[in-house]
């Protein structure tokens, strides 16, 4: 008989949730939450009982419970496993058996999930769609897998002003009332591990008292403390307790105050050691700084840290457990601690030190989502294993990101699967700042940690799949399928924009205002996403609307409004530089964005009775430093327009503009028709004065169609003058086609060179070759005799003097015996990437061992060419400052290139690192000799962490227009 | 009996001006002007007669006139001389005898001058002060000198839109009506030579017909044509006459249209050759361009030019005078013609070519007031001599200067005396653009050319003297002496500002907004001059007011308003960058400047019934190119202020600013008290938000007095917080004195290190040594324990890490047998200069021969030091690309340094030249090894054209704050 849950049955007293009367209180508490979930689904809450009183009960227990034994559950397949549950129908009952407490809890939440309950039911108030009846087949029996990563959790950090104000206003402090929500969120997301807020809070004292710690332990949440808070005591607590007459002394200094510090730690272990913890060991300075001054030697530091570790291990043994192996301990190899671990050639580091045996070594990303050093093969069998501290939020150099979510899942997938493949499987913790708005990547991070088989390396669609999943788990049954699809697009879309540049790091100097049209294109993408999000929000009502607002609309709109504001500022500065009155129109739009930003934050702070008050408080605009000092709204550029009829003509996608005045004789050129697959070009017309400008196009070419041959450009506006090329009518002559825009006191000659496939020497059969489209124009040849003193080209002459290739569009792919390249879709910056797998091996220096990608390119002449590779800003995977890859042309031997700058170092102030993490890209330049005609450029994987997105090829000695994203892909056939 | 002129006598018919009835009509016309001048002075016009009818007549004639002979004038001492006059009292008559026509004319204007008539009486409507009686002693007899330079004149150029519109509106074209005023101006200024306007005009055809040429000849004005208009025909005329069926052909090309061009020239000579001319020979391309294309070789060009010259000489012989020596001819060695003249090692140039015998070779400045190549000693005896084409106005790269006068006399003196000393004495012509507003430097230029003995090399006060003279000649008897002094200050003052940067070349990026306070200081200087000019204008009435307006107020105010606008823009951008709301206040002031600029131009165009309509029409703001294409008003930076109490503290004279926030921990420092002679420093307080900011200064130092220890800073304002050091009270401690400005959420710690004379090791006796004042501060030492995460220095650490020396303040001067350095006061950029004299010799490479200046400097440590010399952007005096000077420390051998960049070339597009002429300075960097303690730095003159204004010394490898003027002079004792 199927096991059925329904409103009717619940109302009859059936479907009761039965825990043994001796069951752990945490299990009972979660059972109550399950009951609440069921009430949300069915409209009626099942009873919580200790004994069966009606049909169709739901039993919950753990292996070894008398109740479970009585029910005849076969627990052999889950016994001794970590956090596993078995859900089966036994006669008329549903039985949820945990291999341990968390197993049972996850089992209960699994049932909720099956009933359509979102893991965010509590945290984001997601009401389930509801159902009247839910059946489980009579032969149902599922056993969960052991979670892939042992400790999986998040870190509430950088919690002022947002999370802190939120806690104070809504809960009266960082107490158990708020932590109950946090714990529930963690557990529903299948996490088990938490680092509490620590800027101003004292977790073991804010409950009030021990309430926070007690509740965590009850619910099965394993507590850690941040990487620099050893022995279960927080830095804030030392600040609070220290003093001249304090028993803990008055210096966070193990050299001068060993006794006080030791006592401080010992009391911490005594107080909180009885709970489930991962105990941080080691020591850093106060407030996340180095422990010793700059004058200390490496050896001084290592010796000190060794002494600290010995003391801490002794204290743990004496106070908690003689068997240290049974006490989860963690040492963070963070910032300056990393060198202490590795030492140098003269000084042995802490690696393999007996004091670290069994201690989980926590490695870190670079705070900006790129792994740092990973364990070498020899290191991987370290007892205690490895952990990873990752960031979805960061307060520090070069620019903090603390406001709303900016993390894009594909890169998280690539990075964290790399970590896993390198053996980092014992502890994953992610900094989620204020939690709020980071639910999307957080849910993914914890799902990935929980079920690596499903979401890990083997699943290249992992990020997409999770996005679908989070939309379904929150909107299924409430939104139409097409709207759910739209939700996925919105989540992917806004994080794609922020993957190009995080919001706080945006400014007016990021995107080029005109080159390759990147600012306008990104602006259009941004505005489309905002409009789509608005449209969907406006369709929705009630709780569905609110959940859409929280999960999608708000992080999307709040981020993109700021991104848009900066793009408008870039354009404002660009058009002001041109002297175009459109700058002033952009200035007004910027003001609107600022007002909208305030409105968004105000609304967040008042919506649903101020539930989220505080969560929008972080500074997020105009950082001039890594933090808010000196931050300011965009500087808007305006000027007094001329009182004359002055027309400005610019070419879309280039930085060319002119008024076509006699003396300067500036002539423009459009490169759009050099691409044989393109038939449309655009000129942008605006005014330098406050009066209307009339213009008239002289177009002697029958094959060009001009969108508006004669007209008026209004001040403060742009007019797009579209030029269509009718390739059927096109006939080549000796003179490059020209048009001229005649206006008051100006004659703007624009050359429009055309390439046909024949011109560029296309082969007959498409084979994925990239063709050189470039042309150098002759300024003396004239089709139109406009009155110009002397024709000149005002800027750099370089019409399509490059080939741009999206790396995933390789011509050929050759795997080696060791591995091969794979495409990672939508990796970042709107581009796919290629990366060689397995991702944890060095393919070596023998070309035969190295996976290869081949790009066929046709170039006009023999010579030196620059190849710019746009790669992920990966950090060296080892202590050597290298990531090698290989490159070679036309079968010549592969050159081994180190993509890491020689002065590169991860860390505050390093200019290379600061640049690449802020840009979320690195550009590596290689010189190749190419022959005239078709060349094969081969790119090889040599080392791990080589993730390529784009290749741009141009002649050595020539420059391309500066841009952020680089030129768009050119013609391929 | 004294010769007396008075109103009474004139009314009685006395003081009549008597010319022989056969006298030249030009003399009669000028006699009529003299009569007009006398009417302006005495209120009554003397009669113009051919015979004596009453007492006390004024006779005018030239050597050889029967009349003069009859009067018994001894003409032996003037006979055969050029342009000389004799004025003597003979019995009851005053006799003015010219050695020739112009001599007589200058003699008549000399009498006017003696009567207090300004040379601008006609051009600027200057009414003389007037007198009732004027006596000349009975024994009076003065003989003028021959003018120093043979042909002296100016070029009306770049005449659209200003002069062109002026002519059209007021005179109906470029006709004899306007040229009569121009000729009169030229002659009254003692010039004799004119190049007419030529952009759109045809001098020999616009009179109407030949009237312009006839009038010029009549009045004794020798006509030239511009440097590229040979054989008395203008380019515009060819444009007008050319055509398919034209007898002159249809190509300005001697290769393809030899016949047509030859005929064009021949007809020109036939038409205008009968008048007094300096005939331009040679040929350039149309509209001031090179004649042959880029593909032509040097030899091609030289051969062509030689053929052209031969043809022109033949035509002159055939049509004008068989004896070419009697025909003044001129070839301009301008732009590309210069290399044709010199040739290269493979190709003989035109130098010493027989076709050039007797032709005056016209050399040129670089269009921006710096001489180019001057004749070598061997070249100086070229028959025909040399000319100089100088610019007070220029239409071309890198930035045109065509609006109101920007030339500063001292540099004109230095440059033109150099030209003279190098033997350039036959022809001086200066481009004066629209004439209007350039009267001040033009008058000086012509006085210098006329009387080199008085104003030339021997008179270092020449510029000052002329300034006094022009003020006196226009205001004597009308202004109080103190106001005349003020006029001199105003003339010198505004041109001093424009000598730092010409007005059209000003922009927001010239001056550093904060470094060395240069923007604020220049702004203050500018505003003081404008206020003084306004105050004087407001005191004046009638014609005096109008003349002051024309000659001083307008060019001063129009220029300085624009200079001020850009300085405000620089500061607007600087404060916007800081995030200071004061930026918005500056933005409003910029708008006011723009409105004022329009008002100034409108007033000029309407004043005195629109007399000067057109003269303000040139674009003059925001050049983005050399000409007006793309020019625009300042881009004003504004931003939305924060809605928080945020105080910004910056240090006057440095680019430091901070809000003193916890995380960044920025600490500032004031270098003002490192100078032992200074007791005052200033902090600048402003707000980042739109609300009032309260602050309170913590000042634990009894020796500092703070101007306002506690207060409120209003948004949109600056508050200067002055700190006075009481050196009596000052006591040195181990910790650098600090103050802290506490404000909402900010704690700005400012370190104020103090130097006493003892600290810097001053000697007992002042000997003109410059002392090192620099200090590097220790960020760890604290006097004030402000809550800052970690104290950091946000910018470059370099407190007074330099010594700055005004070159004229040398410690010692050592002349050699060959010459010695002299000071040129107020040379440019507000600084004096030093230059070695004689200025036309190479002192050579033997140290003993080289004039020397010694600067004693005390530095803290041994090592490499950079010496930056700020020198005039002189061009190489010879064809070699060099100007050598010498430098050496402490008696070591002089290093010979070439101050010219190796890739330097005078000319369009050369980046070095473009930079130095725009900045009117060159910075030459030399490395010297200095010892700890006192050093002697010796600077030697080796080559001509080495003009030094400033030396800045700092340690190799250290950088100074970027600035335009460089750091101000440091402490000297």
């Amino acid at each position: 008989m199927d096991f059925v849950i329904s409103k009717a049955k619940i109302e009859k007293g059936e479907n009761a949730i039965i825990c043994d009367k001796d069951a752990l209180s945490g299990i009972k508490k979660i059972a109550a939450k399950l009951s609440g979930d069921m009430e949300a689904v069915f409209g009626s809450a099942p009873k919580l009982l200790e004994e069966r009183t009606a049909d169709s009960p739901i039993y919950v227990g753990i292996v070894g419970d008398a109740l479970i034994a009585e029910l005849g559950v076969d627990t052999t397949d889950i016994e001794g496993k970590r956090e596993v549950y078995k859900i089966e129908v036994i006669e008329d009952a549903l039985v949820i058996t945990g291999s341990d407490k968390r197993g049972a809890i996850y089992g209960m939440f699994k049932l909720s999930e099956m009933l359509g309950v979102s893991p965010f039911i509590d945290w984001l108030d997601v009401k389930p769609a509801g159902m009247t009846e839910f059946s489980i087949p009579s032969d149902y029996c599922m056993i969960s897998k052991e979670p892939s990563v042992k400790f999986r959790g998040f870190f509430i950090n950088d919690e002022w002003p947002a999370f802190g104000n939120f806690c104070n206003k809504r809960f009266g402090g960082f107490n158990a009332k708020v932590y109950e929500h946090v714990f529930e969120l963690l557990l529903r997301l299948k996490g088990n591990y938490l680092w509490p807020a620590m800027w101003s809070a004292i977790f073991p004292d804010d409950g009030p008292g021990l309430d926070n710690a007690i509740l965590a332990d009850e619910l099965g949440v394993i507590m850690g403390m941040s990487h620099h808070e050893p022995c279960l005591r927080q830095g804030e607590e030392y600040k609070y307790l220290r003093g001249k007459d304090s028993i803990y002394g008055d210096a966070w200094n193990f050299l001068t105050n060993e006794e006080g510090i030791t006592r401080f730690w010992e009391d911490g272990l005594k107080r909180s050691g009885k709970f489930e913890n991962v105990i941080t060991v080691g020591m850093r300075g106060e407030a996340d700084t180095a422990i010793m001054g700059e004058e200390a030697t490496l050896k001084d530091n290592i010796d000190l840290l060794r002494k600290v570790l010995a003391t801490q291990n002794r204290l743990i043994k004496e106070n908690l457990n003689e068997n240290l192996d049974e006490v989860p301990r963690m040492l963070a190899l963070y910032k300056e601690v990393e060198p202490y671990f590795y030492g140098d050639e003269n000084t042995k580091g802490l690696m393999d030190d007996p004091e670290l045996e069994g201690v989980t070594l926590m490695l870190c990303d670079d705070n900006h989502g790129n792994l740092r050093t990973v364990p070498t093969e020899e290191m991987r069998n370290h007892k205690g294993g490895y952990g990873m501290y990752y960031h979805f939020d960061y307060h520090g150099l070069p620019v903090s990101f603390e406001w709303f979510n900016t993390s894009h899942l594909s890169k998280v997938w690539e990075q964290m699967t790399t970590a896993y493949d390198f053996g980092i499987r014992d502890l994953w913790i992610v900094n989620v700042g204020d939690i709020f708005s980071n639910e999307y990547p957080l849910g993914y991070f914890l799902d990935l940690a929980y079920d690596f088989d499903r979401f890990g390396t083997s699943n290249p669609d992992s990020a997409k799949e999770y996005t679908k999943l989070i939309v379904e788990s929150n909107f299924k049954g409430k939104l139409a399928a097409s709207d759910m699809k739209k939700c996925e697009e919105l989540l992917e879309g806004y994080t794609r924009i922020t993957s190009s540049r995080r919001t706080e790091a945006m400014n007016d100097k990021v995107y080029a205002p005109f080159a390759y049209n990147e600012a306008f294109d990104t602006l259009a993408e941004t505005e489309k996403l905002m409009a789509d999000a608005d449209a969907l929000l406006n369709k929705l009502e009630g709780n569905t609307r609110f959940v859409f607002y929280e999960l999608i609309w708000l992080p999307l709109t709040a981020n993109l409004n700021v991104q848009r504001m900066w793009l408008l500022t870039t354009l404002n500065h660009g058009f002001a530089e041109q002297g175009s009155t459109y700058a002033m129109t952009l200035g007004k739009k910027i003001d609107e964005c600022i007002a909208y930003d305030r409105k968004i934050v105000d609304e967040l702070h008042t919506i649903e009775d101020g539930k989220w008050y505080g969560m929008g408080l972080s500074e997020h605009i105009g950082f001039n430093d890594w933090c808010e000092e000196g931050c300011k709204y965009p500087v808007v550029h305006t000027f007094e327009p001329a009182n004359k009829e002055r027309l400005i003509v610019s070419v879309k996608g280039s930085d060319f503009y002119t008024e076509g005045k006699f003396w300067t004789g500036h002539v423009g050129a459009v490169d759009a028709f050099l691409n044989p697959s393109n038939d449309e070009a655009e000129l942008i017309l605006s005014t330098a004065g406050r009066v209307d400008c009339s213009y008239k196009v002289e177009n002697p070419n029958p094959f060009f169609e001009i969108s508006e041959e004669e007209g008026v450009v209004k001040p403060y506006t742009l007019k797009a003058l579209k030029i269509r090329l009718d390739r059927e009518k096109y006939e080549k002559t000796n003179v490059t086609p020209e048009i001229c825009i005649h206006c008051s006191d100006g004659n703007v000659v624009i050359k429009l060179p055309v390439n046909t496939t024949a011109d560029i020497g296309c082969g007959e059969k498409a084979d994925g070759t990239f063709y050189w489209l470039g042309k150098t124009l002759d300024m003396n040849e004239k089709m139109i005799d406009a009155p110009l003193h002397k024709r000149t080209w005002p800027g750099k002459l370089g019409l399509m003097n490059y080939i741009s290739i999206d790396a995933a569009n390789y011509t050929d792919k050759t795997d080696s015996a060791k591995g091969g390249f794979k495409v990672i879709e939508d990796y970042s910056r709107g581009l796919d990437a290629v990366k060689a797998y397995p991702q944890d091996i060095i393919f070596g220096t023998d070309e035969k061992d190295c996976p290869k990608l081949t790009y066929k390119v046709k170039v006009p002449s023999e010579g030196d060419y620059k190849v710019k590779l746009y790669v992920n800003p990966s950090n060296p995977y080892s202590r050597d400052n290298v990531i090698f890859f290989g490159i070679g042309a036309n079968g010549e031997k592969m050159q081994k290139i180190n993509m890491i700058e020689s002065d590169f170092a991860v860390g505050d102030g390093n200019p290379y690192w600061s640049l690449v993490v802020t840009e979320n890209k690195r550009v590596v330049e290689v010189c190749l000799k190419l022959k005239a005609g078709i060349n094969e450029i081969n790119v090889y994987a040599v080392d791990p962490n080589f993730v390529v997105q784009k290749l741009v090829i141009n002649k050595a000695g020539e420059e391309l227009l500066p841009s952020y994203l680089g030129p768009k892909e050119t013609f391929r056939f």
Side-chain angles (χ1 to χ4, degrees), chain A residues 380 422 818-819 837-844 942-944:
Chain A
R380 286 185 214 171
F422 268 104
K818 288 190 171 181
Y837 287 83
Q839 58 188 338
D840 61 326
I841 67 167
I842 298 165
F843 294 100
V942 173
D943 276 345

Side-chain angles (χ1 to χ4, degrees), chain A residues 341-342 351-352 361 374-383 386 422 842 878:
Chain A
F341 179 75
Y342 290 100
M351 197 193 295
D352 298 331
L361 300 172
V374 290
T376 60
E377 242 179 299
E378 313 81 67
M379 283 166 63
R380 286 185 214 171
N381 50 19
H382 167 75
K383 196 171 131 197
Y386 290 89
F422 268 104
I842 298 165
S878 76

Side-chain angles (χ1 to χ4, degrees), chain A residues 505-531:
Chain A
M506 263 298 273
N507 62 53
D508 53 287
K509 292 177 187 69
V510 176
Y511 293 90
F514 302 117
Y516 313 121
N517 217 42
E518 64 178 26
F520 273 119
D521 286 348
T522 310
L523 183 65
E525 203 179 327
T526 301
E527 289 177 345
K528 168 86 166 60
L529 286 162
M530 290 177 77

